[in-house]
Amino acid sequence: MTSDTTTGPGLPTDDDARRSGDTAARLDEAILGGPRRYTLSDLVEGTGLSQEFIENYWRWLGLPVTHPDEVGFTDADMQALREIGELVDTERLDEQAQMTLIRSLGHTTDRLALWQVEAFVEHLSRRDGLDDVSARLAAIDRMPDLTSQLSRQLEHAWRRQLAALTGRLATEFGGARRGTQEAHDDELPLPRAVGFADIVSFTKRTAGLGSQELSEFVQLFESRARDVITEAGGRVVKTIGDAVLFVADDVTTGAEVALGLAAPHVSEPEIPVRVGFVWGRVLSRFGDVFGSDVNLASRITELAEPASVLVDPHTASLLASSSRYALTAQPPQEVQGIGEITPVRLQRAYTGA
């Protein structure tokens, strides 16, 4: 008699599959705070929301409803939908605002969950000398015990970030009365210093690195860049592989951020960085910034030498009155998509000390 189950050395058995399924179900229930007990129809009935809205909600979170008849939702899901429905009604949010708000949650938490799990994978690998697979299995086993602590830290960090953002906006626009500012349809709303810092010859420097070494190299660059930007008074918009995009609320802070990023680190391994920034106007949407000045800053960065900072002539003129800086015009260069520009090198002024 033959068996339909193929087994052999290293091949999963039916028992292995059952154990994996049991483990996944246990982790799922522990992290979600309860069992999955509702279908899509149950959510519609229990919340009073339309099926279209509920499906949009999950899709915007990045967790689409793939099987409408599957029992896949928890009590917490039901409550979250009731609350977002109340928010939509109270604030009279149109579909564009709904999508933006919910996608902000999905995009941020998707990356956050991945980043946090990877942090524990790397930690367990280093601490216990585990290979990558063993470290990942150990990390997911730890997640249910850590969920409450991590969720409280998330809420605390979000409240602090929201307070910082509203405080900045209140300071910047507090003197303006609603409806009294002249509208300029062709002008982006926010004046900002915007700039990039990227690693010089990243591909060459990381060639041959193993996964652990590459992770540590990138993490060192990102953490160092974030520390410099924050301490100088700027803000990280995002990291883009081997580069970081930052903004600041005034041109002097932008200069301090840029010079700090380009300066060699005295106590850690050298990571040569080049920086470009400009003072201009940007549109802030989806946690990012957009506009021609963002593109200009990126192009100027590509022209910079290692450990140097370049700005455009307009930004240089704003910094020229400060005795803190030295500004040196560089040869004009043709830049694709922009035309000819004359970059200006920004350095700290020599004090004779």
Side-chain angles (χ1 to χ4, degrees), residues 2-23:
T2 59
S3 171
D4 291 333
T5 303
T6 303
T7 61
L11 294 176
T13 65
D14 289 343
D15 286 342
D16 291 331
R18 280 193 293 271
R19 281 194 293 270
S20 295
D22 291 344
T23 299

Side-chain angles (χ1 to χ4, degrees), residues 51-316:
Q51 179 172 326
E52 180 184 12
F53 176 86
I54 293 174
E55 289 180 334
N56 283 340
Y57 174 85
W58 290 105
R59 186 175 72 254
W60 293 334
L61 277 183
L63 302 165
V65 179
T66 54
H67 302 289
D69 297 326
E70 181 181 354
V71 177
F73 305 99
T74 68
D75 288 330
D77 295 328
M78 183 79 77
Q79 183 60 27
L81 281 162
R82 288 171 180 158
E83 291 179 354
I84 195 67
E86 290 175 4
L87 179 62
V88 168
D89 288 342
T90 301
E91 299 299 325
R92 293 184 293 177
L93 300 178
D94 61 19
E95 185 170 328
Q96 181 65 39
Q98 295 169 31
M99 180 178 65
T100 300
L101 183 66
I102 296 168
R103 276 188 173 168
S104 73
L105 296 171
H107 177 73
T108 302
T109 52
D110 171 50
R111 294 193 63 196
L112 178 64
L114 175 61
W115 197 344
Q116 290 181 333
V117 170
E118 292 290 349
F120 279 98
V121 170
E122 293 175 4
H123 163 68
L124 292 168
S125 178
R126 289 192 304 268
R127 188 190 71 181
D128 300 335
L130 300 177
D131 61 75
D132 186 72
V133 172
S134 298
R136 290 182 184 280
L137 293 172
I140 63 173
D141 278 341
R142 293 290 298 129
M143 285 302 108
D145 295 332
L146 298 170
T147 298
S148 294
Q149 291 171 287
L150 292 175
S151 64
R152 289 193 297 270
Q153 288 296 312
L154 171 59
E155 181 178 356
H156 172 72
W158 175 79
R159 287 181 179 275
R160 294 296 303 189
Q161 293 287 2
L162 184 61
L165 172 62
T166 54
R168 289 195 303 269
L169 293 178
T171 299
E172 183 173 4
F173 300 110
R177 295 174 57 192
R178 292 182 183 176
T180 61
Q181 288 184 301
E182 185 180 353
H184 297 281
D185 292 338
D186 60 343
E187 189 175 71
L188 298 181
L190 299 176
R192 293 288 185 267
V194 55
F196 289 85
D198 68 28
I199 302 172
V200 179
S201 303
F202 175 79
T203 302
K204 180 179 179 181
R205 292 180 182 280
T206 56
L209 294 182
S211 59
Q212 181 68 28
E213 295 171 307
L214 178 60
S215 173
E216 291 175 355
F217 182 87
V218 173
Q219 191 171 47
L220 177 60
F221 165 69
E222 288 192 5
S223 60
R224 184 186 296 175
R226 286 180 179 274
D227 288 346
V228 168
I229 292 167
T230 302
E231 289 173 9
R235 298 182 298 283
V236 176
V237 177
K238 62 181 178 181
T239 54
I240 318 158
D242 58 344
V244 60
L245 170 60
F246 66 89
V247 295
D249 293 334
D250 60 82
V251 69
T252 301
T253 299
E256 292 301 311
V257 169
L259 290 169
L261 288 167
H265 202 280
V266 294
S267 61
E268 293 181 351
E270 179 189 9
I271 301 179
V273 172
R274 57 185 181 181
V275 185
F277 94 95
V278 303
W279 177 257
R281 302 189 75 91
V282 302
L283 174 69
S284 177
R285 289 291 187 275
F286 319 118
D288 205 344
V289 291
F290 303 89
S292 60
D293 288 314
V294 179
N295 186 44
L296 176 59
S298 175
R299 296 298 189 184
I300 286 179
T301 304
E302 295 171 0
L303 303 177
E305 297 293 327
S308 70
V309 178
L310 290 182
V311 300
D312 68 318
H314 170 65
T315 305

Side-chain angles (χ1 to χ4, degrees), residues 30-65:
I31 291 171
L32 294 179
R36 298 176 186 250
R37 62 176 68 188
Y38 302 116
T39 65
L40 177 60
S41 296
D42 294 329
L43 293 182
V44 172
E45 182 179 352
T47 63
L49 300 170
S50 69
Q51 179 172 326
E52 180 184 12
F53 176 86
I54 293 174
E55 289 180 334
N56 283 340
Y57 174 85
W58 290 105
R59 186 175 72 254
W60 293 334
L61 277 183
L63 302 165
V65 179

